[in-house]
Amino acid sequence: MTRINVTVDGVSYSDEVEPRTLLVQYLRETLGKTGTVIGCDTSNCGACTVHLDGTSVKSCNVLAVQADGHEVSTIEGLATDGRLHPMQQAFHECHALQCGYCTPGMIMQACDLLKENPDPSEQEIREGLEGNLCRCTGYHNIVKAVQQAAKDLSSQAVSS
């Protein structure tokens, strides 16, 4: 067993983990962060996407020990003060989900995309999300949601 110290959604944790424990397993099984889902276990689908020190990673491809001393943000940590994050709100308003399984990872990846490119074109959004698969939709409403969130975040920044 190896002790790790990690901050998840603003809360510090110190736990003993097996060195082979995946970050997604640690988040779900130890911390109860079940919004981070396991879709494929091979890093192909992106359903398990979280932010590690502010950058999106597929948590089925990261060992928990690699997160030692770092900050992890999950879908559960996006909302603040009981209010959805603008990306979560846009996914809701634009009906950017069907079964919802890919949605947490898709939202986390989309947030990272907008951090890097706050005003992406439709093509840039599609390219930025290409590592996250949705088996239900045609991505049209997902792209609309990211565009809406970009507008909302931009207007929030202007009013601040």
Side-chain angles (χ1 to χ4, degrees):
M1 298 290 271
T2 302
R3 176 159 297 281
I4 63 169
N5 297 293
V6 63
T7 301
V8 179
D9 297 333
V11 178
S12 296
Y13 296 92
S14 182
D15 292 296
E16 295 282 332
V17 298
E18 289 285 342
R20 66 177 179 258
T21 301
L22 295 172
L23 181 56
V24 69
Q25 294 169 319
Y26 173 72
L27 293 171
R28 289 179 60 81
E29 297 167 15
T30 304
L31 302 185
K33 300 285 185 176
T34 56
T36 303
V37 297
I38 300 171
C40 67
D41 264 343
T42 59
S43 77
N44 287 321
C45 75
C48 66
T49 302
V50 298
H51 294 167
L52 182 61
D53 291 335
T55 301
S56 63
V57 297
K58 294 177 181 176
S59 61
C60 73
N61 205 30
V62 176
L63 296 171
V65 294
Q66 290 175 290
D68 184 33
H70 296 278
E71 186 168 329
V72 176
S73 300
T74 71
I75 191 73
E76 287 98 339
L78 280 185
T80 54
D81 299 325
R83 296 181 53 199
L84 292 177
H85 182 277
M87 187 66 71
Q88 292 170 307
Q89 188 66 38
F91 265 65
H92 174 74
E93 290 173 1
C94 295
H95 308 286
L97 57 100
Q98 213 159 1
C99 81
Y101 202 80
C102 71
T103 305
M106 196 72 74
I107 287 174
M108 297 303 287
Q109 181 61 32
C111 287
D112 192 43
L113 168 67
L114 292 187
K115 184 181 72 172
E116 299 298 319
N117 181 357
D119 188 25
S121 67
E122 178 180 340
Q123 185 61 33
E124 289 170 326
I125 292 169
R126 290 181 182 278
E127 289 172 5
L129 298 177
E130 69 185 3
N132 290 71
L133 302 178
C134 177
R135 293 172 178 95
C136 299
T137 71
Y139 295 93
H140 179 72
N141 286 352
I142 292 170
V143 171
K144 280 180 28 182
V146 177
Q147 290 171 325
Q148 180 62 48
K151 288 177 193 165
D152 293 346
L153 288 165
S154 175
S155 65
Q156 280 181 6
V158 169
S159 65
S160 296

